[in-house]
């Protein structure tokens, strides 16, 4: 009876050692989070997208248009001006209020009125552009 207990304990120790070694093998530095973090967003860069002819990009300061149109969150973007030069990085909600406004009412599927402020991504309508987008798959 006692032998069986010792044997059981020994087996458990071996199993624990194997589990520990597997963890060590997948985490050589030993400081990895043990929980599943795979639900976080995956980000990728999309370069040189042609103009979209999509009026929704100009629909005011709505910060969710990217979610509605692209099913993801644009974290930074650039515009290629008609001169061929590229803008610097714009970050939605940080530095992307356009210096121009919407001068007239629109019947866009996301409607907007005259004299409304918009984001620089309004130029996705008629300019080539690049962006980094993050999506939850
Ligand atoms: C966004 O998701 C909708 C619904 O799942 C789908 O119909 C559409 O094609 C997606 N658009 C993009 C750009 O991924
Ligand atoms: C634009 O829409 C607003 C609000 O609906 C309205 O008050 C205004 O008269 C419209 N402007 C023009 C030029 O139609």
């Amino acid at each position: 009876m006692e032998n069986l207990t010792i044997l059981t304990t020994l087996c458990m120790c071996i199993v624990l050692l194997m589990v520990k070694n597997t963890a060590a093998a997948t985490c050589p530095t030993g400081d990895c989070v043990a929980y599943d973090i795979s639900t976080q967003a995956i980000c990728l860069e999309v370069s040189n997208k042609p103009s979209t002819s999509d009026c929704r990009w100009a629909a005011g300061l709505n910060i969710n248009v990217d979610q509605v149109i692209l099913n993801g969150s644009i974290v930074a973007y650039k515009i290629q001006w008609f001169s061929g030069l590229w803008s610097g990085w714009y970050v939605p909600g940080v530095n992307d209020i356009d210096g121009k406004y919407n001068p007239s009412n629109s019947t866009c599927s996301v409607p907007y009125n005259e004299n409304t402020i918009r984001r620089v991504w309004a130029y996705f309508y008629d300019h080539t552009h690049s962006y980094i987008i993050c999506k939850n798959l």
Side-chain angles (χ1 to χ4, degrees), residues 5-92:
T5 310
I6 291 168
L7 197 66
T8 309
T9 309
L10 196 66
C11 283
M12 277 169 64
C13 282
I14 289 168
V15 166
L16 279 174
L17 209 63
M18 282 167 67
V19 168
K20 192 166 183 284
N21 280 344
T22 311
T26 54
C27 183
T29 52
D31 56 355
C32 303
V33 172
Y35 300 94
D36 184 356
I37 56 169
S38 66
T39 54
Q40 68 186 330
I42 291 170
C43 301
L44 55 114
E45 184 170 357
V46 179
S47 299
N48 299 304
K49 281 275 278 191
S51 57
T52 60
S53 298
D54 189 330
C55 59
R56 292 176 293 177
W57 290 110
L61 293 175
N62 189 328
I63 202 83
N64 291 321
V65 176
D66 49 354
Q67 209 58 254
V68 170
I69 299 175
L70 296 173
N71 298 334
S73 182
I74 289 179
V75 295
Y77 61 97
K78 291 179 169 189
I79 309 291
Q80 187 177 32
W81 305 119
F82 289 137
S83 67
L85 291 177
W86 282 86
S87 73
W89 286 106
Y90 291 105
V91 176

